[in-house]
Amino acid sequence: MAESPDGVPTATHANHRTVTIDPVTRIEGHAKISIHLDGTGAVETARFHVVEFRGFERFCEGRPFPEMAAITARICGICPVSHLLAAAKTGDKLLAVTIPPTAEKLRRLMNLAQIIQSHALSFFHLSSPDFLLGWDSGPAKRNLFGLMAADPDLARSGIRLRQFGQSVIEVLGGRKIHPAWVVPGGVRSPLSPAGRDQLLAGLPEAFAIAQRGLALFKQLLDTKLAEELEVFGNFPSLFMGLVGADGHWEHYGTPDGGSAAGGLRIMASDGSLVADGLREDDYASFIAEAVEPWSYLKFPYITALGPMAGRYRVGPLARLNICKSIGTERSDRELLELRQRGGPVVTASFLYHLARLIEILACLEQMEELLASPEICDAHVRVRASLKAHEAVGVSEAPRGTLFHHYRVDGDGLIEKVNLIIATGQNNSAMNRTITQIARHYLSNGNLSEALLNRVEAGIRCFDPCLSCSTHAAGQMPLQVQLIGADGGLLQERFRG
Amino acid sequence: MKPIPGMKRVARIKPLLLIGYGNPLRQDDGLGWHIAMAIEALDLPGLQVLAAQQLTLELAAPMALAEAVVFVDAAYGKDAANGSAQAIEPLALKPLHHNPQAPDPGPQTFSHQLTPQALLLLAGKLYGHQPAALQLLVPAQWHGHGEGFSPCAATALPTAMALLVGWAGGESRRA
């Protein structure tokens, strides 16, 4: 039988049943999960369907390339900075400029803040209800309000960390979301000494919250969450992301876009390097995208290895797997502990949560170093130039993984073609494999318990997918569970919410 | 406001808060966001204005420092999807009804976004103060990719602005 990139058979047998969970709760965007059962009631496959078509790439055509940062930042209200940076870096290349050193430091500061606030939302508010309230707790309680009742201090701490990340973005860019401050050629304005002092003042509390989150989650892993490490998406795969010079943890990219000083690295689960020093400009030569009829989200893979062996993961866990070290003291201690817990290359997707907390700590440490830099308030933060190139690729590490922007422009700098490869898309295969593994493990006697459905949803949340909430006006949808026979008939339907 | 262990008391700087939300690149969906930006430009005394793409939980913190909050959002009628204008009720600021004992289902059914009711509950439970809350729902029709408003939204905008400016002025005088 043929296999799709999600690693499951594509043919449909007689006597199969399909369970559909629609939509998945507490992730970004619209999606559903279907669990396909065979005639014996065992799980054949599970699929993560993305049913919303975004259409931003087509929308960008004809716009001046300097506007791309502001436009693409509106793809998402949660992680706009990632698109800002990738767009601006692509613009730097179209202008053929090297931005001032202080501008790069400031861009890095903003990306660190973005990662902190996004990871804080994922861990403290979206996923911690699962950990603290238990899988058998119904969705009516296993949510933010349940967390608020069980541990209000943790809920407030998560908000404080998010506020800190957003305050950094606001101090730098003047606005919490969509700051048009990052531009091709650098940034619009320098950081004032007063702004620097304000950011420094917020660091001690942010460090304390991050450390508390780490202590709490490690304790849970040691006690009640041990099984999840084995079952929530634990499988071999490739891992891809940026590394810096000397193989250190990297989130922004190297000035020359790869090659000798860092660049993109692909590592296998056994620790072997599949590729290193890959240049972002060449991404189309090593990444291909498969398409499935049941999802708008594509299935990227490493071209040379094909759609199956070439499946890879990106994001916090991938970044920590591929790097030699983080380069700062406290987070390197945590990285060592992560590797002691999960192996030299961690394959358990459940540890994405721990990786997020470690990255929060790493971001805070790097932020502290950047703010201590003597030139961080330097006034020279932008260079101006005219269009020099007609095609460019920019990359940055978004909270959820590597983000590619690829533009082709005409002689007037108007966009002719855009290709965006987003992190969530690159984790698509891994998400499908994860929910299949969970469903196979927890389904017994064809009993579709709430606890099973809760775990399947939580498997997706390991990756904190961002499917783009490009409009909030779609309305609130209840959770829908469908049981569909092999002939397409609806056998059973359940709703939540 | 009840003191909460571990929380610092923060002086209430602006008694009124306006939160306008929506995606400004999804046509009428961005009505709330655009209105917030326009009101902010007026720099009205005693009014803090926040423009957001969506309602996220940290908004509960400034809400807990306000005496009154108004949420401004686009409201799509049931016929908006097929391009028809919705039946428009008279545009008005209306009290935001919610049951403080029963959490609104917003956070458990969808993504990173919350409902105004959920934010009110969070403000009360986490920060000890739930402000009086109003809602202004502006009629909307288009929600495709792009900028610009439908005729229906464009017609409602001046009235919406006047209502909000009047509210802020009236509340400030009462304070």
Side-chain angles (χ1 to χ4, degrees), chain A residues 63-144:
Chain A
R63 306 293 287 251
F65 81 89
E67 287 185 7
M68 287 301 288
I71 292 172
T72 55
R74 288 187 170 87
I75 289 173
C76 181
I78 297 297
C79 49
V81 170
S82 311
H83 288 287
L84 274 174
L85 288 176
K89 289 181 72 180
T90 313
D92 295 342
K93 287 184 172 178
L94 292 171
L95 299 176
V97 296
T98 299
I99 67 170
T102 298
E104 183 184 321
K105 285 187 169 70
L106 293 174
R107 284 183 180 181
R108 283 179 175 274
L109 261 181
M110 187 175 261
N111 202 32
L112 294 168
Q114 159 82 2
I115 292 170
I116 289 169
Q117 63 97 12
S118 179
H119 283 0
L121 183 64
S122 173
F123 178 80
F124 287 94
H125 300 114
L126 301 182
S127 291
S128 64
D130 293 333
F131 314 143
L132 292 171
L133 304 173
W135 306 110
D136 297 320
S137 172
K141 287 188 177 171
R142 193 174 38 86
N143 58 32
L144 183 57

Side-chain angles (χ1 to χ4, degrees), chain A residues 403-417:
Chain A
L403 171 66
F404 293 87
H405 277 211
H406 178 190
Y407 309 154
R408 196 175 70 218
V409 300
D410 66 13
D412 296 320
L414 300 179
I415 296 286
E416 289 183 334
K417 191 169 187 300

Side-chain angles (χ1 to χ4, degrees), chain A residues 9-243:
Chain A
T10 54
T12 304
H13 298 283
N15 302 321
H16 290 189
R17 293 185 300 162
T18 301
V19 180
T20 305
I21 307 171
D22 183 12
V24 178
T25 62
R26 281 184 287 118
I27 61 167
E28 195 57 18
H30 304 205
K32 68 175 180 181
I33 291 170
S34 62
I35 304 169
H36 302 250
L37 307 177
D38 65 18
T40 68
V43 174
E44 182 183 77
T45 181
R47 285 174 176 168
F48 179 50
H49 304 247
V50 177
V51 295
E52 182 185 10
F53 182 60
R54 205 175 58 229
F56 267 98
E57 287 157 324
R58 181 65 62 85
F59 171 70
C60 295
E61 290 174 8
R63 306 293 287 251
F65 81 89
E67 287 185 7
M68 287 301 288
I71 292 172
T72 55
R74 288 187 170 87
I75 289 173
C76 181
I78 297 297
C79 49
V81 170
S82 311
H83 288 287
L84 274 174
L85 288 176
K89 289 181 72 180
T90 313
D92 295 342
K93 287 184 172 178
L94 292 171
L95 299 176
V97 296
T98 299
I99 67 170
T102 298
E104 183 184 321
K105 285 187 169 70
L106 293 174
R107 284 183 180 181
R108 283 179 175 274
L109 261 181
M110 187 175 261
N111 202 32
L112 294 168
Q114 159 82 2
I115 292 170
I116 289 169
Q117 63 97 12
S118 179
H119 283 0
L121 183 64
S122 173
F123 178 80
F124 287 94
H125 300 114
L126 301 182
S127 291
S128 64
D130 293 333
F131 314 143
L132 292 171
L133 304 173
W135 306 110
D136 297 320
S137 172
K141 287 188 177 171
R142 193 174 38 86
N143 58 32
L144 183 57
F145 293 120
L147 172 69
M148 203 166 69
D151 194 341
D153 194 41
L154 186 71
R156 279 192 291 269
S157 294
I159 289 178
R160 290 292 294 162
L161 203 49
R162 249 182 89 70
Q163 285 178 316
F164 172 72
Q166 290 182 323
S167 72
V168 175
I169 294 169
E170 192 170 18
V171 165
L172 291 171
R175 282 165 55 187
K176 285 180 194 149
I177 59 167
H178 310 152
W181 171 78
V182 184
V183 291
V187 298
R188 284 188 192 277
S189 55
L191 174 65
S192 69
R196 175 199 57 200
D197 294 346
Q198 182 185 336
L199 303 186
L200 281 168
L203 279 171
E205 184 188 14
F207 271 117
I209 294 169
Q211 297 279 22
R212 188 194 164 200
L214 274 163
L216 170 72
F217 191 59
K218 286 190 288 188
Q219 184 194 23
L220 289 168
L221 287 172
D222 290 337
T223 52
K224 56 194 258 193
L225 295 174
E227 185 176 273
E228 283 73 7
L229 261 62
E230 299 305 317
V231 181
F232 279 54
N234 194 347
F235 47 77
S237 77
L238 305 176
F239 294 92
M240 189 184 79
L242 288 171
V243 289

Side-chain angles (χ1 to χ4, degrees), chain A residues 367-437:
Chain A
M367 202 175 263
E368 193 171 42
E369 287 183 356
L370 284 166
L371 289 169
S373 164
E375 66 267 25
I376 197 67
C377 294
D378 194 288
H380 179 49
V381 292
R382 186 176 184 182
V383 291
R384 295 174 191 274
S386 56
L387 185 67
K388 301 286 193 312
H390 294 286
E391 192 160 2
V393 178
V395 67
S396 72
E397 284 290 339
R400 292 157 188 83
T402 318
L403 171 66
F404 293 87
H405 277 211
H406 178 190
Y407 309 154
R408 196 175 70 218
V409 300
D410 66 13
D412 296 320
L414 300 179
I415 296 286
E416 289 183 334
K417 191 169 187 300
V418 173
N419 189 30
L420 309 178
I421 300 185
I422 59 169
T424 294
Q426 293 171 88
N427 279 330
N428 199 6
S429 290
M431 288 189 285
N432 280 276
R433 294 173 79 184
T434 295
I435 58 174
T436 300
Q437 190 178 44

Side-chain angles (χ1 to χ4, degrees), chain B residues 76-92:
Chain B
Y76 289 89
K78 62 181 191 309
D79 295 328
N82 60 23
S84 306
Q86 68 161 350
I88 301 170
E89 288 183 26
L91 197 55

